[in-house]
């Protein structure tokens, strides 16, 4: 028997509980990528390619190539033989050109590299880059870095390099040390430089001082010499973020060489050769206009982005310990030490603050214009710099320094760590220049459909060639007619017509204050079926309002106080007055809104004194606070109350990782200092003495959190034995321990007025809504209920994950949101449903079928209390949603990958999430089949905004530029407006595509019928159809506005190759063919009919005028109008056609003119069209009757058969459960019928203590729950962590739960999680030996596995057949009685 799984076996444990069908087992393929700790880089040379940026977000594959002479010669020969067409193809496919002229080689000898970037295993983007060799001496003499066309210094740069005798290239990979090279091999890709490292034999990204660099190394920088600066700028290049502006000629050629315009150009040449002059010149003029407008727009956009992004200034840098020099910011390199000016400076690089404080406006990054205080980087000898962890000490590029605070005569210094495109601003610009590809089914299907139409064209091409050859047609005429047929089936105007709907939708969105950087994204917005929202500033107001405080006295909560200004001046008030990061800027109090509200509620005043006033605090630059006059102290009225002055000596800024901030302050006249700490209640409580935290802390906190309040905790600690010098050197860990708990600060965050109504609109339209926030979990759940994301009838199940520990594997808990939640195992930032307590209550393991049984049936707890099996008869057992925090999400992704699709399918609230986790959640929802929109307002949403199909930013900050949509209305009312316009644009695009396809097929049928008699449509007839009918309708097609009523519950059809879309086109094509054939047949039956003789006409004037031409032209002209009317649909996605005035007038005018043209046109008009009118008027009227009948049949087929029968009636009734491309539908279908999952625990039991000395709790025993449906795994595989699919639940040692299906009695404490056996098992009193014996006698008709885990020995009991398994946990010294139905003997074996 194998031993119990060790800790290391649980590094990647999957959790799968009996999901039916192979489709769900594929849910996780590619769903959870990028988990850094699972990636092992293959050694160089073992695979056919290498990686750059391995394990990072921008990981890419790289292949080496070197030129092959014979392949190059053959390729250029092919280009010459094809008159450049092969080169044009290589222009569209650069990788083909590379592979046609080069051969694979190692990266060490590569002349070119092929870089492949992969997006979600669905898209690959390729870059072909030249590997350049840069020499230090040539770079110095030539004034260029070798990898950039622009010089790395010029006349305006002030560095004097005349004295430098020998230059070298200094590069940095990691660790803080620079390597010097005389020669470098490098290439640039996506504005990043990759340098060849001879030591590792690989290309590495040229990094700044932010990669595996100790903070002590950063503190050692005292400035660069001119030699060092030059050597680095030669390698790193200028510190510039320049958006390239292409020349007009380049843009013109790039536009003209677009496949769309190349096809139009070839069509123009063909029409010109065929004497089809009018239409050819018209299309040429339209194409030229389109090219010119595209070039102008591209040039304008590039200039605008360049002017917005580019910035240059001068900076003062250190040239040693005491010398400074003023240089251009273009010269800054990593390692330069900046002297920050006192007022008004914009950062042009990323730098870490070494000395002094800075007040910074980071609205460019965060979208919030709240000043942020930056403090010096702590100098720890063994601490690595981390961009996220040390953001409070980093000055980011593009942010504005409002004020730099000098300490005496010292300067405020910062060391440059990143420059150019490597900075935070540079990363933002790179995201704009290289956006990820948009995966949209409509676009993919459109290419497939065009390919299908091209295949139809080739069939017609072959048919035409064969028939014309048999008739003896000349070769030139044969080629012209056959190629002309291709332009008929694949209309050159199709791409232009496809953009019409999006163009008009973009204009309408601008009127609603929604701006789009790419109109193609609007179509994607029409497919949205899931919307994710940030909470603060998006669903709720930006600011917080003070509700009140709950002070603590003698470890007991006092009565909540709403009027904070009336409190006595005691430690609680002193903490509220000093524990903040507020400052005075231009005479106004500025800082975090939360700190502002808290401080203003006290009524105190904040002052920042001049230097000469600092002596009384023995400090250099204090911030002091004073109470209002007439305030009472805790000891009563103080005659010296006006003399109370508190000086803030030092601040430890708020850290989202630590979830707290601290200050050290001193009261004027006191001999000692005091530290105050403010942060999340769970965190503050874990840092306090246990005897100062009230016993009902969890209950009180949970009550406020469930009501949606934002709760902070405050604590303090006296520092009697330290002086001022030590306060400036002490580490925050020393003061943030052994605190005294003071109480809670309660704030409220109100919903925006529009939020609830918008959420209701979206849910009424069956659009899923999800909250992804960085706030407290229970607060987020409360807001979700309040705004309607979670209905009052839905149950919230909180998912809580525990990471692996030495004592056991990772675990998942599922508990109702209203259940009691118990303390975690250590003073960490983890949340258990948002609360931490210290109860030792037991955990009851219940599954959904035991929790939600029908009727009034009840369960019995171990205390004998009746537990209602169903709390609310109106709550459906399967109607539940999940809520979890960021830490649990991380554990879920890392260790329970099979459970991720279930959580994503039912997840409603994701709280305490980092920006990366927000992006992961959005991408996860996309991977299970949702079209996701993300609506947020800050830089922490930037990644999710870019990853979503439709990102909607409510902020106009530069950080939101990468978002496809930006709303000037700072509320979520933009979401339904965008979806409406997106649906309208999508339906318009579908309609135009179908119309253009039907138009091509209609004309194809006409031409093929006329080709059969060697006739054709005349040039004027072509022009009338193509220009006046088709182009006019296409122009007005998209002017139908979005439907203003409620959002329809069903989204539009998204696939062009869907059954309904194909059925629509096929039925219309059959109808068109039938009525054209009928007109052709009817006209031939007339007594006056004369067949067309092509040979006679060619001898006379070459005219194609005939009765057949008249009949087909008459009917087909009406068919184009009918198809436009049929495919231009109104409600529920667009307004009715009668609201589109331009389209309606076009319909009336063209219909009237066509009737006139068919019945009795003027002679000159008849001659121009070359119409041979029937001499009998009834045949002309008969053509109108055919057209009218055609309209009735087409309308019946489209609106009744296709729309009503197939789309509305049968769309969701067809048996497609196992064929659905929406993977979340498979998950949802499973969850609706799976009452065994998730296993609900009545309470989440957490091990260990809040503080090591005061909160020792008993470590529970772990019981694994195996699926009873998993009959494929044998006993050994169930024990093995690598092959078992398990959920993890913690049970306390004193639990015994009697289940209705399997009854196991115990003589002592027994833990048993519900087994849910499929067969009823009769009770028995068969005796069983004690633990430790080797035989277990029992009678059992089913195969049950009992896994017993106790501190002494793990005991595994099995029966012989291994068909289904169940798990039982038994505490020490437990005797187990088995169940019996049939005789069997079970062997008990000890596990090592």
């Amino acid at each position: 028997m194998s031993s119990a799984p060790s800790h290391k076996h649980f590094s990647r444990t999957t959790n799968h509980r009996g999901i039916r069908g192979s489709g769900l087992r594929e849910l996780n393929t590619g769903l959870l990528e990028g988990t850094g700790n699972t990636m092992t880089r293959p050694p160089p040379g073992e695979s056919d390619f290498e990686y750059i940026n391995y394990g990072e977000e921008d990981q890419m594959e790289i292949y080496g190539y070197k030129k092959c002479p014979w392949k190059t010669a053959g390729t250029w020969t092919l280009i010459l033989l094809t008159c450049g067409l092969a080169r044009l193809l290589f222009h569209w496919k650069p990788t083909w050109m590379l592979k046609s002229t080069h051969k694979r080689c190692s990266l060490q000898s590569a002349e070119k590299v092929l870089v492949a970037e992969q997006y979600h295993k669905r898209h690959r983007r390729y870059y072909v880059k030249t590997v350049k060799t840069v020499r230090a001496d040539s770079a110095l003499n030539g004034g260029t870095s070798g990898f950039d066309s622009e010089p790395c210094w010029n006349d305006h740069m002030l560095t004097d390099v005349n004295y430098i005798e020998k230059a070298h290239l200094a590069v940095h990979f990691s660790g803080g040390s620079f390597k010097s090279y005389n020669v470098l091999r490098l290439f640039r890709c996506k504005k990043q430089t990759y340098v060849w490292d001879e030591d590792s034999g690989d290309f590495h990204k040229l990094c700044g001082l932010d990669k595996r660099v100790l903070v002590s190394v950063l503190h050692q920088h005292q400035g660069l010499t001119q030699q060092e600066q030059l050597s680095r700028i030669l390698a790193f290049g200028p510190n510039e973020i320049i958006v390239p502006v292409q020349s007009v000629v380049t843009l013109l050629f790039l536009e003209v060489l677009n496949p769309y315009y190349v096809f139009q150009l070839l069509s123009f040449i063909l029409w010109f050769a065929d004497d089809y002059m009018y239409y050819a010149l018209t299309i040429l003029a339209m194409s030229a206009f389109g090219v010119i407008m595209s070039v102008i727009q591209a040039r304008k956009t590039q200039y605008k982005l360049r002017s917005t992004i580019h910035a240059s200034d001068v900076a003062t840098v250190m040239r040693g310990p005491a010398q400074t020099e003023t240089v251009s910011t273009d010269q800054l390199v990593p390692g330069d030490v900046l002297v920050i000016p006192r007022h008004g400076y914009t950062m042009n690089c990323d730098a870490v603050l070494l000395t002094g404080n800075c007040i910074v406006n980071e609205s460019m990054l965060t979208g919030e214009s709240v000043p942020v205080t930056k403090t010096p980087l702590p100098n720890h000898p063994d601490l690595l710099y981390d961009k996220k962890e040390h953001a409070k000490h980093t000055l980011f590029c593009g942010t504005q320094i409002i004020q730099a605070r000098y300490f005496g005569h010292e300067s405020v210094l910062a060391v440059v760590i990143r420059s150019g495109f490597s900075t935070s601003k540079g990363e933002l610009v790179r995201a704009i220049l290289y956006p990820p590809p948009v995966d949209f089914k409509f676009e993919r299907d459109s290419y497939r459909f065009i390919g299908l139409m091209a295949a139809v064209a080739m069939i017609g091409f072959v048919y035409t060639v064969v028939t014309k050859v048999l008739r003896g047609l000349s070769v030139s005429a044969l080629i012209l007619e056959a190629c002309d047929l291709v332009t008929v089936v694949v209309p050159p105007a199709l791409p232009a017509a496809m953009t019409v709907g999006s163009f008009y939708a973009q204009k309408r969105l601008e009127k609603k204050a929604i701006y789009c950087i790419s109109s193609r994204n609007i179509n994607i917005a029409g497919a949205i079926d899931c919307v994710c929202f940030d909470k603060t500033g998006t669903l709720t107001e930006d600011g917080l309002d003070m509700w009140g405080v709950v002070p603590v006295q003698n470890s007991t909560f006092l009565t909540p106080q709403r009027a904070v200004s009336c409190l006595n001046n005691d430690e609680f008030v002193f903490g509220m007055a000093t524990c903040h990061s507020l400052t005075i800027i231009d005479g106004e109090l500025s800082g975090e809104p939360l700190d502002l509200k808290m401080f203003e509620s006290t009524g105190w005043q904040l002052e920042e004194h001049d230097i000469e006033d600092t002596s009384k605090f023995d400090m250099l630059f204090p911030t002091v606070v004073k109470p209002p006059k007439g305030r009472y102290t805790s000891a009563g009225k103080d005659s010296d109350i006006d003399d109370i002055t508190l000086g803030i000596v030092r601040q430890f800024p708020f850290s989202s990782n630590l979830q707290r901030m601290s200050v050290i302050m001193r009261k004027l006249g006191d001999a000692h200092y005091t530290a105050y700490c403010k942060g999340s209640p769970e965190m503050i409580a874990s840092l306090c003495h246990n005897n100062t935290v009230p016993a009902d802390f969890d209950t009180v906190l949970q009550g406020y959190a469930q009501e949606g309040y934002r709760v902070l905790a405050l604590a303090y600690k006296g520092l009697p034995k330290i002086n001022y010098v030590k306060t400036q050197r002490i580490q925050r860990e020393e003061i943030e321990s052994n605190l005294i708990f003071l109480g809670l600060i309660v704030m409220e965050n109100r919903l925006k007025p529009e939020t609830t109504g918008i959420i209701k609109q979206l849910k009424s339209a069956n659009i899923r809504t999800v909250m992804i926030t960085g706030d407290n979990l229970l607060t987020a759940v409360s807001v979700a209920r309040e705004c309607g994301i979670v209905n009052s009838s839905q149950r919230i199940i909180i998912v809580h994950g525990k990471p692996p520990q030495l004592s056991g594997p990772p675990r998942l808990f599922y508990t109702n949101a209203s259940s009691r939640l118990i303390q975690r195992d250590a003073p960490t930032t983890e949340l258990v449903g948002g609360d931490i307590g210290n109860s030792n209550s037991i955990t009851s393991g219940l599954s959904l079928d035991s929790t939600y049984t029908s009727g009034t049936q009840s369960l019995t707890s171990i205390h004998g209390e009746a537990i209602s099996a169903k709390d609310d008869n109106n709550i459906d057992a399967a109607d539940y949603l999940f809520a979890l925090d960021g830490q649990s999400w991380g554990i879920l992704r890392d260790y329970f990958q099979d459970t991720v699709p279930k959580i994503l399918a039912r997840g409603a609230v994701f709280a305490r999430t980092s920006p990366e986790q927000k992006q992961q959640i959005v991408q996860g929802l996309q991977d299970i089949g949702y079209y996701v929109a993300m609506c947020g307002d800050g830089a922490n949403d930037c990644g999710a905004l870019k990853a979503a199909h439709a990102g909607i930013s409510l902020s106009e900050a530069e950080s939101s530029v990468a978002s496809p949509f930006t709303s000037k209305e700072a509320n979520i009312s933009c979401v339904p407006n965008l979806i409406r316009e997106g649906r309208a644009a999508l339906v318009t695009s579908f309609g135009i595509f179908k119309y253009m396809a039907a138009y091509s097929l209609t004309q194809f049928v006409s031409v093929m019928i006329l080709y059969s008699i060697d006739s054709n449509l005349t040039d004027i007839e072509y022009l009338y159809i193509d220009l006046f009918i088709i182009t006019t309708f296409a122009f007005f097609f998209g002017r139908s506005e979005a439907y203003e009523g409620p959002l329809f519950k069903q989204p539009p059809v998204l696939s062009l190759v869907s059954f309904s879309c194909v059925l629509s086109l096929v039925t219309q094509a059959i109808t068109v063919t039938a009525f054209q054939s009928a007109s052709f047949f009817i006209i031939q039956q007339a007594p006056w009919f004369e067949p067309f003789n092509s040979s006679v006409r060619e001898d006379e004037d070459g005219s194609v005028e005939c009765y057949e031409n008249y009949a087909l032209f008459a009917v087909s002209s009406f068919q184009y109008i009918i198809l436009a009317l049929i495919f231009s649909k109104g409600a529920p996605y667009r307004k009715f056609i009668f609201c589109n005035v331009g389209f309606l007038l076009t319909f009336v005018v063209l219909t009237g003119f066509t009737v006139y043209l068919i019945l009795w046109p003027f002679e000159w008009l008849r001659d121009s069209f070359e119409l041979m009118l029937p001499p009998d008027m009834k045949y002309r009227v008969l053509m109108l009757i055919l057209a009218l009948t055609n309209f009735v049949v087409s309308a019946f087929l489209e609106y009744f058969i296709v729309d009503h029968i197939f789309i509305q009636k049968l769309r969701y009734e067809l048996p497609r459960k196992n064929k659905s491309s929406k993977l979340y539908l498979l998950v949802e279908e499973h969850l609706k019928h799976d009452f065994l999952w998730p296993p609900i625990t009545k309470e989440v039991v957490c091990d260990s203590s809040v503080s090591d000395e005061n909160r020792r709790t008993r470590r529970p025993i772990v019981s694994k729950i195996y699926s009873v449906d998993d009959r494929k795994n044998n006993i050994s595989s169930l024990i093995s962590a690598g092959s078992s699919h398990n959920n993890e639940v913690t049970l306390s040692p004193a639990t015994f739960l009697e289940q209705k299906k399997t009854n196991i009695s115990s003589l002592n404490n027994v833990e048993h999680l519900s087994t849910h056996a499929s067969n009823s098992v009769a009770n028995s009193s068969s005796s069983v030996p004690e633990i430790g014996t080797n035989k277990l006698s029992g009678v059992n008709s089913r195969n049950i596995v009992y896994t017993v885990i106790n501190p002494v020995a793990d005991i595994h009991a099995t029966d012989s057949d291994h068909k289904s398994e169940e798990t039982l946990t038994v505490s020490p010294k437990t005797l187990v009685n088995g169940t019996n139905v049939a005789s069997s003997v079970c062997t008990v074996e000890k596990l090592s």
Side-chain angles (χ1 to χ4, degrees), residues 377-390:
L377 180 70
N379 191 358
H380 292 283
D382 300 324
L383 179 64
L384 289 175
Y385 172 80
D386 182 82
K387 176 183 176 181
K388 298 173 184 176
E389 182 180 349
H390 299 117

Side-chain angles (χ1 to χ4, degrees), residues 54 79 232 351 458 477 519 674 743 760 959 1011 1205 1227 1314 1346:
Y54 192 83
I79 292 173
R232 296 186 187 186
M458 293 309 298
S519 59
T674 304
K760 184 177 180 180
S959 61
Y1011 273 8
I1205 299 297
V1227 181
S1314 57
Y1346 300 102

Side-chain angles (χ1 to χ4, degrees), residues 274 461 463-484 1010-1016 1092 1094-1095 1098 1104:
D274 199 22
F461 180 89
Y463 171 79
T464 301
V465 170
V466 172
T467 56
K468 297 297 183 181
V469 168
L470 294 177
R471 291 191 178 95
L473 198 66
S474 64
V475 176
S476 60
L478 177 64
I479 294 175
L480 286 177
E481 291 192 7
C483 292
D484 185 57
L1010 290 175
Y1011 273 8
S1012 66
I1013 60 172
D1014 289 334
S1015 181
N1016 201 349
F1092 175 74
S1094 58
S1095 57
E1098 286 182 5
V1104 293

Side-chain angles (χ1 to χ4, degrees), residues 268-277 480:
F268 169 77
I269 295 173
L270 176 66
W271 295 330
F272 195 83
D274 199 22
D275 292 329
Y276 187 27
M277 301 296 296
L480 286 177

